[in-house]
Amino acid sequence: MSSLSTPTEPSRWSRVWNSNIGYSFRRNPVAIVSLMIFLLIAIMSIFAPLIAPFDPYDLGQIDIMNSEYPPLWVDGADAQFILGTDDQGRDLWSTILYGTRLSLLIGICAVVLQAFLGISIGLIAGYVGGRTDSLLMRLADIQLSFSTLMVAIIFLAVTQAMFGSETFNQYAIYFLIAVIGVAEWPQYARTVRATVLAEKKKEYVDSARVLGFGPGRIMVRHILPNSLSPIFVISTVQVANAIISEASLSFLGLGMPPSQPSLGSLISSGFDYIFSGSWWITAIPGIVLVVLVLVINLLGDWLRDALNPKLYKG
């Protein structure tokens, strides 16, 4: 008597790879290249202490006499500085690696804060409705009437004046995450609210109420999982926007200080030297910033199309 072998259940990776999203990803060369570039930048920035030949935070490794060395392909370069040096004598390659890590950290943490605030407010507004919905959405409308940069500039300028430059520079990363996160929560709130208004009328929500589940469990365990598709798309775009906001604020002198290099502060520190011939201090970090934001936006465009049920997937 032969025994029938039970089929093995496919792994989670196999299910994702063979899903509609996996198929869409394999058929989209732009998404593949964008993800490879983003992962390369992210991995190199995460492991910056292991890859970078110099530590830009260690004053013992910085010599002002090495300032403004050009990249290797320009006459007058020093072989130990691949991309040249900045105005403080720091190795630009090492500083870009550390600065990219800092910019990514600020962008991702700011988006996490945006998502937490926006999803919480959107769930409550859509599920409770009535005056609560009206009040929360009017707050979102007021917030949307101000640009992110304007709110951030006012907040950071007042904070810098209140605490002083030394304290502000010490906690600049936390101030940036807070102001960028708080300024952009309405994007999530309005999207989640619209999804909740459609989902709460469906039968599975009525069944959860009949079973005696409370509003909090229904919102988090039942309605929220059905709202994740637009949240993923918004998060991808918002990470790019947060990185741009950080770079803009640092360029204006309201972000990361020169002693804690980010891509924005690097671009700002080299702007005064761009017409004196030291163009690489601003140009190379600027190119890295443009490439990073571009690949994130391209991934967001692909994810939006892949998660859109109205588009034919083949």
Side-chain angles (χ1 to χ4, degrees), residues 125-233:
Y127 189 82
V128 176
R131 294 182 178 178
T132 303
D133 180 24
S134 299
L135 175 62
L136 293 176
M137 288 301 100
R138 295 300 76 76
L139 289 175
D141 292 338
I142 293 173
Q143 179 69 52
L144 287 173
S145 65
F146 300 98
S147 68
T148 302
L149 281 180
M150 184 176 69
V151 174
I153 288 172
I154 295 174
F155 174 81
L156 294 175
V158 172
T159 304
Q160 194 173 29
M162 288 177 57
F163 295 100
S165 298
E166 184 176 352
T167 304
F168 178 85
N169 292 339
Q170 185 178 359
Y171 299 100
I173 183 172
Y174 303 106
F175 289 137
L176 283 170
I177 291 173
V179 71
I180 296 174
V182 172
E184 291 287 342
W185 65 264
Q187 307 289 342
Y188 287 92
R190 292 168 71 91
T191 302
V192 172
R193 172 185 175 271
T195 306
V196 172
L197 290 176
E199 293 293 327
K200 74 175 184 178
K201 299 177 182 178
K202 296 184 178 179
E203 291 80 2
Y204 73 90
V205 177
D206 295 332
S207 301
R209 292 197 190 100
V210 172
L211 291 174
F213 296 154
R217 178 168 180 174
I218 294 175
M219 286 188 289
V220 176
R221 297 286 298 276
H222 299 277
I223 296 180
L224 181 58
N226 293 299
S227 308
L228 292 180
S229 295
I231 290 175
F232 287 147
V233 177

Side-chain angles (χ1 to χ4, degrees), residues 6-33:
T6 58
T8 59
E9 184 179 355
S11 63
R12 180 176 299 179
W13 168 253
S14 178
R15 291 197 299 269
V16 172
W17 186 252
N18 294 318
S19 64
N20 288 333
I21 294 180
Y23 175 79
S24 174
F25 178 76
R26 297 196 303 270
R27 301 274 295 182
N28 193 325
V30 175
I32 295 174
V33 174

Side-chain angles (χ1 to χ4, degrees), residues 42 54 67-68 100 105 138 236 255 262 298 302:
F54 299 93
S67 61
E68 298 185 53
T100 305
L105 177 64
R138 295 300 76 76
T236 308
S262 67
L298 290 175
W302 162 77

Side-chain angles (χ1 to χ4, degrees), residues 21-73:
I21 294 180
Y23 175 79
S24 174
F25 178 76
R26 297 196 303 270
R27 301 274 295 182
N28 193 325
V30 175
I32 295 174
V33 174
S34 298
L35 181 61
M36 291 174 61
I37 295 175
F38 174 75
L39 290 178
L40 178 64
I41 295 175
I43 292 173
M44 292 180 67
S45 62
I46 291 173
F47 294 100
L50 302 177
I51 299 175
F54 299 93
D55 184 358
Y57 297 112
D58 186 2
L59 297 179
Q61 299 184 27
I62 301 175
D63 186 357
I64 192 64
M65 300 302 294
N66 293 329
S67 61
E68 298 185 53
Y69 272 122
L72 283 181
W73 60 88

Side-chain angles (χ1 to χ4, degrees), residues 62-69 84-92 95 258 265-273 276 278 280-282:
I62 301 175
D63 186 357
I64 192 64
M65 300 302 294
N66 293 329
S67 61
E68 298 185 53
Y69 272 122
T85 58
D86 63 3
D87 58 318
Q88 300 181 41
R90 298 177 299 190
D91 175 46
L92 198 58
T95 313
S265 62
L266 281 174
I267 296 172
S268 176
S269 65
F271 188 74
D272 295 333
Y273 300 90
S276 64
S278 302
W280 57 88
I281 304 177
T282 291

